[in-house]
Amino acid sequence: MIDRRLVTNFDWLMIGLLLALATCGAVNLYSAASSFETSGSPIYLKQIYWFCLGLGVMLAVALVGYQRLSVLAYPFYFAVVVLLVAVLLFGRVVSGAQRWLALGPLVIQPSELARLAVIMVLSHYFHRRDQAEPYNLRQLILPVALTAAPALLVLKEPDLGTALLVLAVGGSVILANGVKIFSLILAAGGLLGAMPLAWHFLKDYQKRRIFSFLDPESDPLGSAYHLIQSKIAVGSGQFHGKGFLAGTQTQLHFLPEQHTDFAFSVVAEEWGFIGSVIVITLLAAVVYRGLMHAIRAKDRMGMLIVVGATACIFWPTAINVGMVAGLFPVVGIPLPFISYGGSSLVSTMAALGLIQGVSMRRFVFHRS
Amino acid sequence: MGFSLFGRRRHRAISSSLPRSRSFDPSEAPAARRTIIVAAIFAGLAFLTLIGRLWQLQLLQGDYYRGLSENNRIRLVDVPPSRGLIFDTKGRLLADNRPGFSLTVIPEDVDDWDELGSRLEKLVGISPEELARARESAAGQPPFKPVRLRAHLDREQLAVLETFRYELPGIKVQVEHRRSYVYPRETAHVIGYLGEINQSELSASPKGVYRMGDYVGRYGLEKSRERVLHGRRGARQVEVDAVGRELKVLQEVDAVQGHNLTLTIDLDLQRAAQAALGDEVGAVVALDPRNGQVYCLYSSPSFDQNSFVTGMSSKYWEAISSDPFHPLKDRAISGLYPPGSTYKIITAAAGLAEGVVTPQTVINCPGEIPFGRRTYKCWALKKGGHGNVELHRAIRESCDVYFYRVGMRLGVERLAKYARAFGLGRPTGIPLGSESSGLVPDNEWKKRRFGEPWQDGETLSLAIGQGFNLTTPIQLARMVAVIANRGRLLTPSLVKTVHPNDGSDPVPEPPGVITRVPVPPKDLELVHQGLVAVVNEPGGTASVARVAGHTVAGKTGSAQVVGLHLYKSYGTESQVPWKYRDHALFVAYAPAEDPTIAIAVVVEHGLHGGSSAAPVARKVLEAYFGATPRPEKPSESPGPLADYPDPASVAAGLKPPPTLPGGKRRSTPVPEAQPAPGKPVTGSNAAPAAQGQAKPKPAPPAQAKPKPAPPAQAKPKPAPPAQAKPKPAPSAQGQPGLFKPKPFKPEAAPASSATGGRP
């Protein structure tokens, strides 16, 4: 059944990187949540459970393989779209946003599946068309629509961060497949033109965040306060950090959402520049490992899937760390492996499973 | 680390056996390969930028930020908004905000929790458990955020805390806006009350609107208009010293007060209803039959709204929640009662509209009729029945047999259709939560509910408002308003205007939906005349409802609570235990010529509508008219006059001219009106009124004429005393927007013009 080459070509280094990241994440969550009084198992333990589940999912995805999974690309995609619509209709409202859907005892966040669906459906689409030359604008209409549909549904929840992520991942796949330079410039121009339209979709608090990012004075009490406190946390970590469990910003709850969106500020505060660079380097290594697999992939579909999955690590890292360090507006995007969040962790690991699947099969040919 | 990005290990791609694609090796596709290398460079630059930024923050500016974090004394202090005020229709303040003192603890500033606990217990009686609970609820929020321990401190506690302030580190007395209801019992059910927000509400609300410890509407308008009333919270960024005292304000965003509301409710009528019901259990609903604005919505027994805000003693809570009469229940909108004979209004309208009876149809009432295996009795059985009755008399004297027959001819489905058209069986849409739908039974319902088909005998009970029928007082008020306004079913409203917090012009509430009942105006006119007769003609069942100076039209009802057998087993009525006695109902509107108020009264176990509900209605109507600048009677008299010898109906061959009872109330106005313009009519006024009625009764219609011309009248009825109401002689004035002309108006016109001789 399982080809021996599948095992030898399994990317064990990647697994090592993930384990290292997950360890950093759990340790950090222990500290970030240590001053909360919570009921049930502590957050870091839950994160470990989620990671183990994620490993299982990753393994399963890798073993089934992307060719077989790609048969399900469209059904999966449409199922996710249906779930996203269902969330808007029946979802559970938490903090004014409707993101969770209860399916029996299981509560899921379909927006986390959206990027997987977009990766699968786009790579399947491009693979089927199998067009060597770069795509022009007209040919891109359908792929862009396939990306935008779930992104808009997610935006409607409203979840700006995840919606951006879906767009970024879809965009990465489309770019990797090849777009005419001229078309690219045109599209970028069009996108700038469409900004006002997108603005219309943003919720007030999202607009305020962007305003306050552009002009922190405009909202000193809301997101600018978060931004300032996060910068204080990061900066005060200095080179060595304040030490485990010793971050004053963290332990005194000056940080907003310190176990989710702002988990990295805790790393930066308690472990300093060294710790931050280690975590960023680990994530960068995963990204480079992914791109390497993309170059080695044996067919177009494999390459595109790997690029998409890698984008699932790269974009959240760039945006989240950028946000925490005051380079980006405050958008709710979790940092892979470091921020607490089961759905996001498992879906990230599933994406990594796709990479493994492609990597394992780079020498194997379909014996159908 | 394996950055073998440019690893050389290329493998040949053998042409693929993949069914739908050719093999593709990025390593052999220079374009793809180039793309990925570009991506890798891009990612590398991005990571370098991030690290560069961290370098900048942590190494270059590290000392600065370290300093900031060590003295991080910048706190965000919440400034909760004050709630919108609520006024009655005449601008009297009903719901206010007053300063209140609450006891809070700031966890960060507490040195020794046990110590604090024992001191608090000694000083102000807060148990250590209470403290522990507050501490628990504060978990997960910044330790400098105050946590409320006690929402309400009395003066004594305040004094003690102030004295021992320095021995209680972390304890802070905060002044906050506290809702205060000016007329707590009068307005309890309408305005409702507030309660502290709970965790699930907090998480379901949009970000930043609420905080732990906020109060939200829990009942009544406070709940249904929460969004309008709540306002927007502000905050202050302040620098504090090591003990948490504010040193200076760095930034501030003001809280925005909620919008103020002016209600349609009239406090005078609420009070009148409260006084009139007294200790009785029941409800009063009064509304404007022209537009559905609710003047009065009172449910008895009532309760003290303020106790919900200030934190009630457990004793009061015990009392209120275990009270067998459920004071918290708003009977006016959720009390369910069989409509009793007030339902005959619908039966009559349906019978006429469907043509199963005409105004001349004579039905013999021998006091009871056999149907199926049982006999259906008329209340006049002891008197030997009503004999031959036609519609007018049937309504006036509430003849059961007449309506049994009408009901039989209509059948349950048609009855149900008209009942629904008159707004029964579904919520009226008044903007309050917890409104009941009531029940309009029909064949399908019976099958669903009991699994058996409708029995014809049940139609008989239905036709006189007994049986499965269930209605709420507000549905009844709306139903009778349909007769008052000749055919329009209104949506009751409670809020007249919203006063935006930015000081801009008040925004009137959009009117609710209005539907038309499928009954021709001439038929409604006949029912109307019957209702006038109920109050004003000899033999009518509600002569107690007469109000000096104004013609009242109404219908009594009593709703059976237990079966007739049990009831009879007690012998006389006074021996029936209270809880088995019939509910008394009365619906009415006035002035009959041009109604501006429709009212429904239910007195639980009050026995007879005429004896216990109608007097309540009268008192409320008196309060209404007393507080309204009284129009000059001269102009008024013609109206009632005219509607009796209704020539149109006569001409149409309708009922014979009824015994003209109209005279009486016409004359009453004379004595009453002069003394009391703008003065509330109190209960004691009833006496003169009664006299007035008694005397003039015989007065011939002719009387009306001599009355002097009505002085120029101004329209609006509200406060300004100088103005009088347009009520009188509406047709003559051609008042827009009220009812459409109906047969009786035209007649009124000649009468009034004759009388009035207005310029």
Side-chain angles (χ1 to χ4, degrees):
Chain A
M1 256 293 281
I2 296 181
D3 194 307
R4 208 173 50 79
R5 277 173 297 179
L6 290 186
V7 180
T8 45
N9 287 319
F10 196 79
D11 188 345
W12 294 104
L13 177 59
M14 175 86 91
I15 298 290
L17 289 173
L18 300 190
L19 282 174
L21 276 168
T23 311
C24 293
V27 167
N28 187 56
L29 281 179
Y30 180 85
S31 170
S34 64
S35 50
F36 293 127
E37 291 172 39
T38 48
S39 52
S41 33
I43 279 176
Y44 77 96
L45 255 187
K46 287 194 206 158
Q47 181 83 342
I48 292 175
Y49 297 150
W50 282 115
F51 180 75
C52 295
L53 177 66
L55 274 182
V57 169
M58 174 172 149
L59 221 61
V61 169
L63 287 179
V64 173
Y66 66 100
Q67 284 111 335
R68 258 169 284 179
L69 285 176
S70 75
V71 175
L72 294 173
Y74 281 98
F76 178 58
Y77 179 83
F78 287 114
V80 168
V81 169
V82 167
L83 283 177
L84 286 173
V85 172
V87 166
L88 292 179
L89 297 181
F90 319 109
R92 201 189 275 180
V93 180
V94 176
S95 301
Q98 233 173 343
R99 298 177 185 173
W100 281 268
L101 191 65
L103 297 173
L106 200 67
V107 180
I108 62 166
Q109 214 178 334
S111 52
E112 294 292 349
L113 293 175
R115 48 192 155 139
L116 294 180
V118 166
I119 294 172
M120 293 307 296
V121 87
L122 284 182
S123 50
H124 186 265
Y125 175 80
F126 289 131
H127 187 77
R128 284 289 294 275
R129 273 186 70 107
D130 197 28
Q131 174 181 323
E133 51 284 352
Y135 282 52
N136 63 29
L137 271 189
R138 205 170 40 79
Q139 293 163 324
L140 282 175
I141 290 175
L142 188 64
V144 168
L146 285 172
T147 309
L152 283 178
L153 287 171
V154 173
L155 185 61
K156 200 92 190 118
E157 286 181 3
D159 187 346
L160 177 62
T162 310
L164 277 180
L165 215 53
V166 172
L167 285 180
V169 168
S172 307
V173 175
I174 291 174
L175 283 178
N177 186 59
V179 177
K180 281 209 173 92
I181 294 289
F182 180 67
S183 302
L184 198 61
I185 294 169
L186 261 186
L191 216 59
L192 281 178
M195 286 280 196
L197 199 77
W199 188 250
H200 180 75
F201 274 94
L202 295 183
K203 292 278 168 187
D204 271 345
Y205 79 93
Q206 293 169 330
K207 289 182 188 171
R208 252 182 281 128
R209 280 183 181 178
I210 293 176
F211 274 135
S212 80
F213 168 71
L214 297 174
D215 173 21
E217 296 299 302
S218 69
D219 181 19
L221 308 173
S223 37
Y225 180 79
H226 293 175
L227 217 57
I228 289 166
Q229 295 296 355
S230 173
K231 268 158 72 174
I232 293 177
V234 172
S236 66
Q238 294 185 306
F239 189 73
H240 299 289
K242 294 176 185 167
F244 186 51
L245 296 180
T248 51
Q249 292 286 98
T250 307
Q251 306 305 333
L252 297 180
H253 299 259
F254 280 104
L255 289 172
E257 313 272 340
Q258 58 189 17
H259 60 297
T260 54
D261 294 349
F262 284 88
F264 187 74
S265 352
V266 180
V267 175
E269 184 183 20
E270 300 197 339
W271 303 94
F273 184 66
I274 302 187
S276 318
V277 170
I278 290 178
V279 168
I280 291 179
T281 310
L282 286 172
L283 286 162
V286 174
V287 169
Y288 277 89
R289 206 67 203 156
L291 289 177
M292 184 196 77
H293 289 307
I295 278 199
R296 290 200 206 138
K298 128 183 105 57
D299 56 14
R300 183 186 293 275
M301 182 154 61
M303 179 199 82
L304 293 177
I305 285 178
V306 172
V307 168
T310 306
C312 287
I313 305 287
F314 171 75
W315 287 111
T317 305
I319 295 174
N320 182 283
V321 176
M323 166 186 86
V324 165
L327 287 175
F328 283 118
V330 177
V331 276
I333 292 184
L335 184 61
F337 301 99
I338 306 297
S339 293
Y340 174 70
S343 308
S344 140
L345 184 59
V346 172
S347 92
T348 304
M349 305 272 291
L352 292 170
L354 288 172
I355 298 186
Q356 292 282 13
V358 174
S359 148
M360 284 155 68
R361 287 172 181 76
R362 66 199 128 128
F363 312 118
V364 181
F365 296 98
H366 228 268
R367 296 146 295 168
S368 55
Chain B
M1 292 179 205
F3 282 72
S4 46
L5 173 60
F6 306 118
R8 300 288 90 189
R9 295 160 57 207
R10 280 193 214 153
H11 268 264
R12 309 225 86 256
I14 301 161
S15 92
S16 160
S17 51
L18 261 176
R20 23 169 231 273
S21 75
R22 72 189 163 80
S23 155
F24 165 94
D25 184 347
S27 57
E28 294 193 343
R33 190 183 149 81
R34 214 170 42 232
T35 312
I36 291 174
I37 291 174
V38 170
I41 293 170
F42 175 77
L45 287 177
F47 285 122
L48 281 179
T49 311
L50 293 180
I51 289 176
R53 173 66 173 175
L54 291 174
W55 179 281
Q56 183 196 7
L57 283 178
Q58 299 188 292
L59 302 183
L60 302 182
Q61 302 171 355
D63 287 336
Y64 167 71
Y65 284 115
R66 177 64 69 98
L68 279 186
S69 84
E70 276 164 6
N71 312 303
N72 200 340
R73 296 289 169 198
I74 301 172
R75 291 181 178 180
L76 210 50
V77 179
D78 185 38
V79 182
S82 73
R83 223 170 151 78
L85 305 177
I86 301 179
F87 300 91
D88 91 334
T89 189
K90 292 173 183 161
R92 285 168 292 200
L93 185 59
L94 302 178
D96 193 6
N97 299 311
R98 296 207 180 141
F101 300 96
S102 72
L103 183 64
T104 57
V105 57
I106 300 174
E108 193 190 42
D109 297 338
V110 176
D111 304 326
D112 184 342
W113 285 93
D114 298 332
E115 172 87 26
L116 183 66
S118 63
R119 278 193 188 161
L120 279 179
E121 184 164 32
K122 246 187 301 177
L123 292 175
V124 287
I126 290 175
S127 66
E129 291 81 57
E130 237 174 303
L131 187 63
R133 220 177 307 131
R135 197 181 168 191
E136 212 169 283
S137 73
Q141 60 170 342
F144 56 80
K145 285 246 163 106
V147 184
R148 192 183 290 140
L149 271 176
R150 267 288 163 83
H152 180 72
L153 292 174
D154 58 34
R155 301 207 157 274
E156 207 172 309
Q157 291 170 319
L158 210 56
V160 171
L161 286 168
E162 204 49 36
T163 313
F164 294 93
R165 186 148 66 116
Y166 295 101
E167 291 166 37
L168 297 167
I171 288 292
K172 204 172 163 194
V173 173
Q174 287 198 320
V175 186
E176 35 187 51
H177 298 292
R178 164 91 37 72
R179 196 57 147 178
S180 163
Y181 302 104
V182 188
Y183 304 98
R185 287 181 182 275
E186 286 88 339
T187 59
H189 294 99
V190 179
I191 294 184
Y193 51 79
L194 307 177
E196 219 171 307
I197 195 166
N198 62 35
Q199 195 56 55
S200 65
E201 288 166 327
L202 200 58
S203 56
S205 65
K207 276 188 181 174
V209 179
Y210 296 106
R211 291 278 160 79
M212 209 65 209
D214 275 4
Y215 282 91
V216 292
R218 272 290 141 71
Y219 191 98
L221 282 170
E222 292 275 30
K223 182 178 185 190
S224 62
R225 292 300 158 99
E226 171 66 26
R227 286 184 55 177
V228 178
L229 290 167
H230 182 260
R232 204 172 61 233
R233 69 189 327 115
R236 282 198 308 271
Q237 226 185 73
V238 296
E239 200 179 313
V240 295
D241 68 9
V243 260
R245 273 178 305 206
E246 291 179 14
L247 293 181
K248 65 176 184 193
V249 176
L250 301 176
Q251 299 273 2
E252 180 158 21
V253 172
D254 290 332
V256 180
Q257 189 187 0
H259 306 290
N260 293 349
L261 299 182
T262 295
L263 306 186
T264 61
I265 291 290
D266 184 338
L267 178 63
D268 294 327
L269 301 201
Q270 293 291 116
R271 283 171 165 161
Q274 186 189 30
L277 278 173
D279 292 337
E280 297 284 359
V281 177
V284 176
V285 177
L287 49 79
D288 187 336
R290 296 167 297 188
N291 51 25
Q293 296 190 344
V294 176
Y295 298 132
C296 173
L297 191 83
Y298 183 76
S299 171
S300 174
S302 190
F303 60 92
D304 181 1
Q305 295 160 277
N306 282 325
S307 59
F308 282 85
V309 181
T310 56
M312 63 179 74
S313 64
S314 54
K315 206 167 12 148
Y316 186 69
W317 172 247
E318 191 75 5
I320 208 171
S321 57
S322 65
D323 188 324
F325 302 125
H326 306 293
L328 292 181
K329 175 176 177 177
D330 187 354
R331 292 178 159 76
I333 60 167
S334 60
L336 290 174
Y337 308 95
S341 297
T342 62
Y343 190 82
K344 289 172 184 167
I345 292 171
I346 292 173
T347 310
L352 290 168
E354 293 285 327
V356 302
V357 281
T358 69
Q360 292 80 35
T361 308
V362 172
I363 288 172
N364 182 264
C365 166
E368 59 185 1
I369 54 168
F371 189 91
R373 274 173 300 166
R374 48 173 291 209
T375 340
Y376 289 81
K377 296 187 169 54
C378 181
W379 66 272
L381 175 62
K382 286 205 184 106
K383 294 188 271 181
H386 289 101
N388 285 340
V389 288
E390 28 51 55
L391 180 81
H392 187 78
R393 210 181 132 213
I395 295 179
R396 184 180 73 205
E397 292 168 26
S398 201
C399 174
D400 291 334
V401 169
Y402 182 90
F403 288 101
Y404 288 145
R405 297 275 182 209
V406 177
M408 250 188 274
R409 294 178 194 181
L410 282 168
V412 60
E413 295 304 327
R414 282 197 283 185
L415 265 178
K417 174 187 147 195
Y418 283 91
R420 291 195 187 98
F422 276 80
L424 306 188
R426 62 172 192 274
T428 61
I430 191 167
L432 292 175
S434 75
E435 192 186 352
S436 298
S437 304
L439 175 65
V440 172
D442 61 11
N443 201 357
E444 193 206 349
W445 170 83
K446 179 93 187 291
K447 276 201 192 116
R448 211 172 46 231
R449 177 77 175 70
F450 292 104
E452 44 186 62
W454 188 263
Q455 304 295 315
D456 286 342
E458 288 164 346
T459 310
L460 269 59
S461 302
L462 199 61
I464 62 157
Q466 311 291 352
F468 299 117
N469 262 324
L470 285 176
T471 55
T472 61
I474 190 155
Q475 285 174 339
L476 293 177
R478 186 160 86 133
M479 170 194 83
V480 76
V482 171
I483 305 295
N485 67 33
R486 301 300 191 276
R488 287 176 305 145
L489 183 69
L490 309 162
T491 303
S493 60
L494 277 175
V495 178
K496 195 154 75 178
T497 45
V498 176
H499 304 266
N501 50 20
D502 56 9
S504 54
D505 292 342
V507 184
E509 284 266 302
V513 187
I514 295 177
T515 51
R516 201 149 252 301
V517 299
V519 180
K522 71 169 175 25
D523 295 335
L524 294 170
E525 177 62 28
L526 291 167
V527 177
H528 159 74
Q529 286 166 8
L531 297 183
V532 172
V534 167
V535 180
N536 298 294
E537 290 183 14
T541 55
S543 40
V544 286
R546 290 175 198 169
V547 171
H550 300 274
T551 318
V552 177
K555 182 76 197 78
T556 55
S558 50
Q560 289 166 12
V561 174
V562 292
L564 218 48
H565 289 300
L566 180 57
Y567 205 82
K568 292 286 180 223
S569 69
Y570 288 99
T572 67
E573 251 169 10
S574 53
Q575 288 169 310
V576 178
W578 185 80
K579 63 175 177 175
Y580 291 153
R581 293 184 190 172
D582 290 350
H583 296 316
L585 297 95
F586 186 62
V587 296
Y589 53 89
E593 319 75 65
D594 184 8
T596 57
I597 181 170
I599 186 169
V601 175
V602 173
V603 177
E604 288 190 13
H605 312 293
L607 287 176
H608 302 294
S611 61
S612 54
V616 172
R618 187 193 71 223
K619 285 173 193 160
V620 175
L621 290 175
E622 281 169 352
Y624 172 75
F625 288 116
T628 306
R630 192 75 52 73
E632 289 57 45
K633 49 259 25 133
S635 62
E636 187 161 26
S637 3
L641 241 198
D643 81 42
Y644 284 97
D646 184 350
S649 49
V650 175
L654 302 187
K655 71 153 166 269
T659 48
L660 0 127
K664 65 196 129 183
R665 72 201 107 62
R666 172 174 336 106
S667 39
T668 37
V670 188
E672 254 268 318
Q674 290 131 342
K679 201 179 295 170
V681 176
T682 56
S684 56
N685 279 23
Q691 287 172 2
Q693 290 164 343
K695 268 182 276 176
K697 203 172 299 164
Q703 254 194 344
K705 295 202 183 109
K707 261 126 212 182
Q713 295 162 335
K715 204 165 170 194
K717 91 167 98 191
Q723 301 166 325
K725 270 188 106 174
K727 189 180 319 163
S731 57
Q733 289 176 322
Q735 197 173 2
L738 296 193
F739 336 119
K740 47 229 63 265
K742 38 208 110 94
F744 114 99
K745 285 291 157 72
E747 287 115 48
S752 63
S753 57
T755 347
R758 310 169 60 234

